[in-house]
Amino acid sequence: MMVFNKRFDDGVQQTHLLNPVILSCPVVVPPNIEEQRAIATALSDVDALIAAQGKLIAKKRAIKTAAMQQLLTGKQRLPGFSGEWELKRLGDLLSVRHGKNQHQIVVNDGKYPILATSGEIGRTNTFLYDKPSVLIGRKGTIDKPRYQESPFWTIDTLFYTEIANETSPKYIYFKFLTIDWSSYNEASGVPSLNASTIEAIEFQCPRFEEQTAIANILSDMDAEIAALGARRDKTQAIKQGMMQELLTGRIRLQQESRDRVHEQVQPYKQEQYEKAGHSWAFNEAVVISTLAAKFGSGEYPLGRVRYTKLAYLMHRHVENQPEGYLKKAAGPYNPEIRYKGPEAIAQKNGYIEAARSGKFSGFIASRNIDQALSYFEKWYGKEVLKWLEQFRYEKKESLELLTTVDMAIQELRANDRMTTVEAVKDVLRGHPEWQPKLKREIFADANIEQAMARSRALFDAVHPMAGHKQE
């Protein structure tokens, strides 16, 4: 966790950092290995807390996405509401308006923002609209609606909406987030939307009171996610401060401080499973043991790559948001299963044993497997294994495609982005271990599109479960 805050330049046009330069850098080092380890452990614990906070935020976002799918379509009704929804056009509830040129109205330190698709680009003392409105890009960026509560000015590339009386602006905003705007693209070149096209979109719509109730529920979820994000940002700032103090020796880490840091960063997932009466590590030991028993054999032991994908799909099916999976070369992978207990627990308890058959290696069921199967059925139920049966004869490459694309979809949704083939490819491009996938035939556009459709069919219609099956 060494930090270099000096810029090193070898004098050529492109800056280089060379081995001799690195090796010649003076550093302050603690006098013994114990203190070095203590500092590294404290900073790693904070990293673990930041990662756990990130997972919780992603989970809350996934829950919100699922809630939007249920509440905004009428599949699930809030208590106290009944009656049929009406088929409406967006034009019945709002009017789409063009922004205007801003050059004549720009004022330094003006009262109101001048908005473009990229965000605020200036200030003015004049506004185009002074009531709550939903904004969406007219040209270029068309898939990121935003909600504006206070008076504003928009330029021509950004539509704004005048919302009718007895219509909830926040409900319209959340409804905009569920629309696949790319399917309404009016151009073959730069993406663009037409006002009349937007107003012609039809959907089933509840009455004003139910609109407001739905909007309040989803707004509360947004507020919770924002608060969690602020807490994570604060933790990241604390970590930066800790690095500056601990890695320079300005502050020495005493045992009491180490214990306090450790207490504050206990992973959230451990608490979740302890409430169910067992640890996360034991839970995953039971999962991989059950998978080995059902999908492995003496001739074809269940390998890590395959059981990782099956475990990901199982958690996605049951809990909606798999936790701990990282973007690795073979797709989603949770290294903690191998290195932080589950595999060792499964083998120590006699649930599984390592096996090899020709070129195949992995795990098969062992003498005490019935105990693991009993736990699995108690926690998850038999229907989960029946659901997994559909993947029994699927090739590893196909499982890699499905789980990778699904994980990308979850990331896009967590950031309120549209889930298109190009957006999924953007996620792949954005990570060094996933970028090479785009050169493989299995990740061709048609295959990605097929995997996206399969992901929606597998998971979008399923109401997410909060945890294990109730005992």
Side-chain angles (χ1 to χ4, degrees):
M1 294 187 179
M2 191 62 64
V3 178
F4 295 96
N5 57 11
K6 179 181 178 181
R7 181 173 179 172
F8 298 95
D9 195 334
D10 61 1
V12 297
Q13 184 175 3
Q14 183 176 1
T15 300
H16 291 78
L17 187 60
L18 305 175
N19 280 348
V21 176
I22 297 174
L23 296 175
S24 67
C25 289
V27 295
V28 179
V29 181
N32 54 68
I33 190 65
E34 288 77 15
E35 188 171 358
Q36 294 177 28
R37 286 173 177 162
I39 293 171
T41 298
L43 294 175
S44 295
D45 282 346
V46 179
D47 277 340
L49 176 58
I50 293 170
Q53 290 171 332
K55 291 174 189 175
L56 182 59
I57 291 170
K59 189 168 189 176
K60 294 291 185 181
R61 284 174 171 162
I63 291 172
K64 177 201 163 189
T65 298
M68 289 172 64
Q69 292 168 350
Q70 297 291 317
L71 295 175
L72 295 172
T73 58
K75 292 178 182 177
Q76 182 177 335
R77 305 291 291 275
L78 294 175
F81 294 99
S82 59
E84 294 294 322
W85 288 13
E86 290 186 60
L87 182 65
K88 297 274 191 180
R89 294 168 58 257
L90 277 175
D92 298 331
L93 308 175
L94 57 84
S95 298
V96 178
R97 303 300 187 199
H98 282 266
K100 296 183 179 180
N101 189 291
Q102 81 281 15
H103 296 301
Q104 301 301 318
I105 52 91
V106 174
V107 177
N108 290 334
D109 301 321
K111 295 180 181 178
Y112 313 117
I114 300 172
L115 302 175
T117 54
S118 58
E120 182 176 323
I121 60 171
R123 305 291 295 186
T124 179
N125 286 326
T126 306
F127 57 79
L128 278 181
Y129 196 59
D130 63 347
K131 297 177 182 178
S133 180
V134 181
L135 285 58
I136 186 168
R138 184 179 71 83
K139 185 174 292 186
T141 303
I142 63 172
D143 63 346
K144 292 184 180 179
R146 72 183 77 174
Y147 181 75
Q148 181 67 25
E149 185 84 35
S150 55
F152 60 89
W153 183 284
T154 65
I155 67 171
D156 187 50
T157 57
L158 192 64
F159 282 135
Y160 68 96
T161 55
E162 292 183 356
I163 310 295
N165 293 332
E166 296 298 301
T167 300
S168 166
K170 258 300 179 67
Y171 179 86
I172 295 296
Y173 164 68
F174 289 120
K175 189 65 186 178
F176 268 44
L177 291 178
T178 68
I179 296 172
D180 181 4
W181 294 105
S182 63
S183 65
Y184 296 98
N185 181 16
E186 297 287 334
S188 58
V190 177
S192 63
L193 289 175
N194 184 287
S196 59
T197 299
I198 296 175
E199 292 177 355
I201 294 173
E202 294 184 333
F203 68 104
Q204 294 292 330
C205 182
R207 294 180 179 178
F208 175 65
E209 293 77 15
E210 191 169 0
Q211 292 177 29
T212 302
I214 292 171
N216 287 341
I217 292 288
L218 297 175
S219 295
D220 288 345
M221 290 182 172
D222 275 343
E224 182 184 12
I225 292 167
L228 291 170
R231 189 183 306 170
R232 181 181 59 180
D233 292 344
K234 183 177 181 180
T235 305
Q236 289 173 329
I238 290 172
K239 180 199 168 188
Q240 291 300 314
M242 288 176 63
M243 291 176 67
Q244 291 297 324
E245 300 295 328
L246 295 177
L247 295 174
T248 59
R250 287 199 289 265
I251 290 180
R252 305 294 288 274
L253 193 60
Q254 303 299 319
Q255 182 63 46
E256 181 182 352
S257 300
R258 278 181 259 165
D259 293 341
R260 186 164 59 250
V261 169
H262 183 71
E263 288 172 4
Q264 292 173 347
V265 299
Q266 289 300 310
Y268 297 163
K269 66 184 177 187
Q270 185 69 13
E271 296 176 5
Q272 171 191 344
Y273 288 103
E274 284 177 353
K275 288 178 181 178
H278 58 277
S279 69
W280 167 83
F282 187 77
N283 188 91
E284 293 308 295
V286 166
V287 169
I288 63 174
S289 299
T290 301
L291 293 174
K294 296 299 182 181
F295 293 91
S297 66
E299 186 177 4
Y300 300 106
L302 184 65
R304 285 194 181 93
V305 171
R306 193 170 184 81
Y307 89 55
T308 296
K309 304 301 176 288
L310 292 172
Y312 173 92
L313 292 168
M314 190 218 77
H315 285 299
R316 178 80 165 89
H317 174 66
V318 175
E319 296 144 2
N320 194 50
Q321 184 68 35
E323 294 189 8
Y325 287 84
L326 307 177
K327 296 175 181 175
K328 293 296 182 181
Y333 175 64
N334 187 347
E336 294 186 3
I337 295 176
R338 179 178 182 182
Y339 297 110
K340 292 196 176 182
E343 275 193 16
I345 291 171
Q347 293 180 81
K348 182 179 179 181
N349 288 356
Y351 299 159
I352 60 173
E353 58 186 72
R356 177 176 290 275
S357 175
K359 64 178 182 178
F360 301 103
S361 63
F363 298 99
I364 58 174
S366 193
R367 62 188 184 281
N368 295 329
I369 187 60
D370 287 344
Q371 187 180 85
L373 293 173
S374 175
Y375 281 129
F376 187 94
E377 183 176 338
K378 182 179 179 182
W379 298 338
Y380 293 105
K382 292 181 179 180
E383 66 278 1
V384 174
L385 285 177
K386 291 181 181 178
W387 182 85
L388 282 169
E389 274 294 323
Q390 63 189 295
F391 306 108
R392 175 173 292 278
Y393 301 109
E394 191 141 358
K395 294 181 179 180
K396 287 191 294 186
E397 194 175 52
S398 177
L399 287 174
E400 178 190 345
L401 171 68
L402 173 61
T403 53
T404 299
V405 168
D406 181 73
M407 192 173 180
I409 288 173
Q410 293 302 296
E411 180 175 321
L412 291 168
R413 288 176 174 171
N415 290 291
D416 291 329
R417 292 183 59 192
M418 296 300 300
T419 53
T420 63
V421 171
E422 194 58 38
V424 168
K425 290 168 68 176
D426 281 344
V427 174
L428 269 61
R429 291 189 194 98
H431 195 278
E433 291 202 48
W434 276 15
Q435 191 175 29
K437 293 179 186 294
L438 294 171
K439 298 179 180 179
R440 293 165 53 192
E441 185 177 351
I442 190 65
F443 283 89
D445 286 7
N447 292 335
I448 291 176
E449 186 171 16
Q450 186 177 34
M452 291 173 65
R454 193 175 178 196
S455 169
R456 296 187 186 103
L458 286 170
F459 305 119
D460 284 5
V462 179
H463 186 73
M465 298 171 61
H468 293 316
K469 178 182 177 182
Q470 293 297 316
E471 298 178 12

